[in-house]
Amino acid sequence: MYAIVDIETTGGGGNARITEIAVFRHNGVEVVDFFHSLINPEIFIPPFISRLTGIDNLMVQDAPTFAEIQDSVRKLTVDAWFVAHNAKFDYGFLKKEFGALDEYFQRELLCTVQLSRKIFPGLKSYSLGNLCESLKISIENRHRAEGDAAATVRLFEMLLENDLQNLIPMA
């Protein structure tokens, strides 16, 4: 199994928190489960992040905290490869959130940036937006967890189809 994840955050610094998450559980052929939620980060979302993501403090004030959605995230990621575009970023935030709840969170990582560089060499850029443009993958709701994760699902499926070197471990 693969858990294809995207999160939005309050920023990239040490005190930053998650504001939105989407997880698509994929069996290597199709999506078999899905979870999405806004998350109350319990800290202020800076204006530049709100402009980028469209997620503001008002939107998340009544959203569940990470502690309230942890079971859903755990359920969809357990016994699965953790797949994300720039996987260390998303994984690092989830590891930190679970750690704050005294839980050790460990998953094996697959990064679609690194895989794309090997499977689709020579492209001008491997950012999610540019990569999707090069590969004709549409992204709806850019810089939102569900939209970016859905595009990453399609990208991952294309990577699976074109992985002639068997770089991607089987689910």
Side-chain angles (χ1 to χ4, degrees):
M1 286 295 203
Y2 306 99
I4 302 169
V5 179
D6 190 77
I7 63 168
E8 301 303 328
T9 69
T10 60
N15 295 326
R17 302 282 306 273
I18 298 173
T19 58
E20 186 178 35
I21 187 167
V23 182
F24 288 85
R25 192 164 171 94
H26 198 287
N27 64 9
V29 177
E30 63 187 357
V31 172
V32 295
D33 205 351
F34 168 74
F35 175 76
H36 168 257
S37 182
L38 285 170
I39 298 174
N40 184 335
E42 303 178 282
I43 64 170
F44 182 74
I45 302 171
F48 76 94
I49 294 293
S50 291
R51 284 191 297 276
L52 177 67
T53 65
I55 301 169
D56 61 29
N57 293 289
L58 191 59
M59 284 175 69
V60 298
Q61 74 180 6
D62 295 324
T65 63
F66 185 81
E68 294 171 305
I69 60 101
Q70 66 171 319
D71 289 340
S72 297
V73 174
R74 184 183 310 102
K75 180 181 139 212
L76 265 67
T77 62
V78 71
D79 298 327
W81 287 89
F82 186 99
V83 180
H85 204 71
N86 193 7
K88 286 184 181 179
F89 177 85
D90 300 79
Y91 180 73
F93 271 92
L94 283 174
K95 194 168 179 67
K96 185 174 86 168
E97 291 286 357
F98 276 105
L101 300 171
D102 292 327
E103 181 174 336
Y104 184 66
F105 182 80
Q106 183 173 4
R107 305 291 187 264
E108 295 295 323
L109 301 186
L110 286 173
C111 179
T112 55
V113 175
Q114 293 173 1
L115 289 168
S116 294
R117 285 190 172 122
K118 293 174 182 170
I119 295 171
F120 302 122
L123 298 178
K124 67 177 181 173
S125 168
Y126 291 89
S127 71
L128 185 60
N130 287 331
L131 191 53
C132 287
E133 184 179 317
S134 295
L135 298 174
K136 309 283 189 268
I137 298 170
S138 66
I139 305 180
E140 293 183 26
N141 295 321
R142 183 75 176 105
H143 297 295
R144 291 295 302 269
E146 186 174 357
D148 286 357
T152 305
V153 166
R154 183 62 196 120
L155 170 60
F156 187 67
E157 290 171 344
M158 290 180 78
L159 290 166
L160 284 168
E161 292 165 14
N162 291 278
D163 182 17
L164 305 179
Q165 302 167 24
N166 295 316
L167 299 171
I168 302 171
M170 296 310 293

